[in-house]
Amino acid sequence: MTTHPPPPPPPPLAPPLSLLPLFSPPPQIFRFRFSFSSLRCSSSLSEMDNGGNSSLFPLHRCKTIHLVRHAQGIHNVEGDKNYKAYMSPEYFDAQLTQLGWQQVDNLRKHVHTSGLIKKIDVVITSPLLRTIQTAVGVFGGEGYTDTTDDLPLMVANAGNSDRGAISSLDCPPILAVELCREHLGVHPCDKRRSISEYRCLFPALDFSLIESDEDSLWEADVRETKEELAARGMKFMNWLFTRKERDIAIVTHSGFLFHTLAKFGNDCHPFVKKEISSHFANCELRSMVIVDSSMIGSDSSSTNYPGKIPSGPDLPSDVADEKNQEKDTSS
């Protein structure tokens, strides 16, 4: 009896969202081809010349997201020496190191000199001390003075930062969201403080979307699996399309970014896949375009214009030709 080899496994399902780096690569290397189900790329120059790989998306189905991993935390330093340090209660809700704050200062300088700070509509941060410190340090206002009626984004020396207070003026709003937290469970560095305590340290930060004052998600003896983390990451990405903002900065964690972004770009050129999903350095920023390919969001375009105002005849010549051909065929 003739035996046949088993069929190859099916390709991984593409997520309902597509993600790609914001900048355009040199055209002689490759170009992107977009579809509503996935991201595609081609290295074929002949295909590029024929224009067969280009596609269009409605602008209002796209958002620009600026992904940031938090700056160096005290747990990163000790964990690099000994992995068991991540299990130590000493690093509960780890704060930034002084080197981490220097990284924050340098990224802040970049987002201002590049003009990025003027484009961002909202900053979303994981509600852990190291991500909140990074978010307010990079995207917050200048030094706070108590001569104004506005609350500070961060009080002086919050989380043993040895930093002055940070103003909430002239900066995008900063919103804490549980969905973009790091791996949940077991590691004390990934357990957050109470929201009540955070409100005292970061008075102008928006914690309104967090339901529980205490950390009800972290469990001492159960570690979230990689698959569960990736599923939570995709839920977060889908949630972004329920927001009205178009340019969104997200300050989060290495594990969250790596396992979430691994879901994207599986049929891209390997170089693009690597740009999307390789591990982030501390305080690294990558700008991406995310496309809603399954009508998750419901926003209408703010720039489209319906035309025909005032109304009048506007039959295009090609449509007229088709109608004329139909008449000739039927007669």
Side-chain angles (χ1 to χ4, degrees), residues 46-98:
S46 61
E47 287 182 354
M48 290 165 55
D49 292 339
N50 292 334
N53 292 330
S54 298
S55 263
L56 293 174
F57 279 111
L59 182 59
H60 65 284
R61 300 289 175 200
C62 305
K63 291 183 187 289
T64 302
I65 58 175
H66 309 280
L67 301 170
V68 179
R69 181 190 173 195
H70 64 79
Q72 185 193 68
I74 57 172
H75 66 306
N76 295 135
V77 176
E78 297 307 316
D80 186 62
K81 302 173 186 175
N82 180 5
Y83 176 78
K84 291 182 179 180
Y86 290 113
M87 307 292 291
S88 172
E90 181 182 353
Y91 303 111
F92 161 69
D93 196 13
Q95 75 267 20
L96 298 186
T97 64
Q98 288 306 307

Side-chain angles (χ1 to χ4, degrees), residues 113-165:
T113 56
S114 67
L116 180 58
I117 190 65
K118 297 178 181 178
K119 300 177 182 178
I120 293 172
D121 300 314
V122 66
V123 178
I124 295 170
T125 181
S126 159
L128 291 177
L129 183 56
R130 59 190 181 271
T131 42
I132 297 175
Q133 287 179 321
T134 302
V136 300
V138 172
F139 300 105
E142 299 298 333
Y144 175 78
T145 59
D146 56 11
T147 57
T148 68
D149 294 330
D150 297 88
L151 292 172
L153 265 179
M154 186 181 85
V155 300
N157 199 36
N160 298 316
S161 64
D162 197 27
R163 290 278 171 138

Side-chain angles (χ1 to χ4, degrees), residues 91-238:
Y91 303 111
F92 161 69
D93 196 13
Q95 75 267 20
L96 298 186
T97 64
Q98 288 306 307
L99 185 142
W101 277 105
Q102 293 175 32
Q103 294 170 343
V104 165
D105 291 340
N106 287 327
L107 180 54
R108 177 184 179 85
K109 190 180 301 181
H110 168 74
V111 300
H112 279 264
T113 56
S114 67
L116 180 58
I117 190 65
K118 297 178 181 178
K119 300 177 182 178
I120 293 172
D121 300 314
V122 66
V123 178
I124 295 170
T125 181
S126 159
L128 291 177
L129 183 56
R130 59 190 181 271
T131 42
I132 297 175
Q133 287 179 321
T134 302
V136 300
V138 172
F139 300 105
E142 299 298 333
Y144 175 78
T145 59
D146 56 11
T147 57
T148 68
D149 294 330
D150 297 88
L151 292 172
L153 265 179
M154 186 181 85
V155 300
N157 199 36
N160 298 316
S161 64
D162 197 27
R163 290 278 171 138
I166 296 175
S167 172
S168 60
L169 298 177
D170 301 320
C171 66
I174 302 180
L175 176 66
V177 174
E178 295 264 40
L179 276 176
C180 61
R181 288 178 59 170
E182 184 58 293
H183 253 119
L184 295 169
V186 181
H187 295 178
C189 58
D190 298 329
K191 183 179 182 180
R192 69 165 171 82
R193 301 160 199 251
S194 70
I195 299 303
S196 300
E197 186 173 354
Y198 282 143
R199 289 187 194 278
C200 295
L201 298 175
F202 306 98
L205 202 138
D206 186 350
F207 294 98
S208 63
L209 293 184
I210 297 182
E211 298 178 357
S212 173
D213 186 54
E214 298 297 330
D215 190 351
S216 60
L217 300 177
W218 188 90
E219 298 180 61
D221 56 352
V222 179
R223 184 73 166 165
E224 187 179 31
T225 67
K226 295 175 182 178
E227 293 75 20
E228 289 169 337
L229 176 56
R232 175 162 59 84
M234 292 307 298
K235 185 176 180 180
F236 172 77
M237 291 294 202
N238 290 336

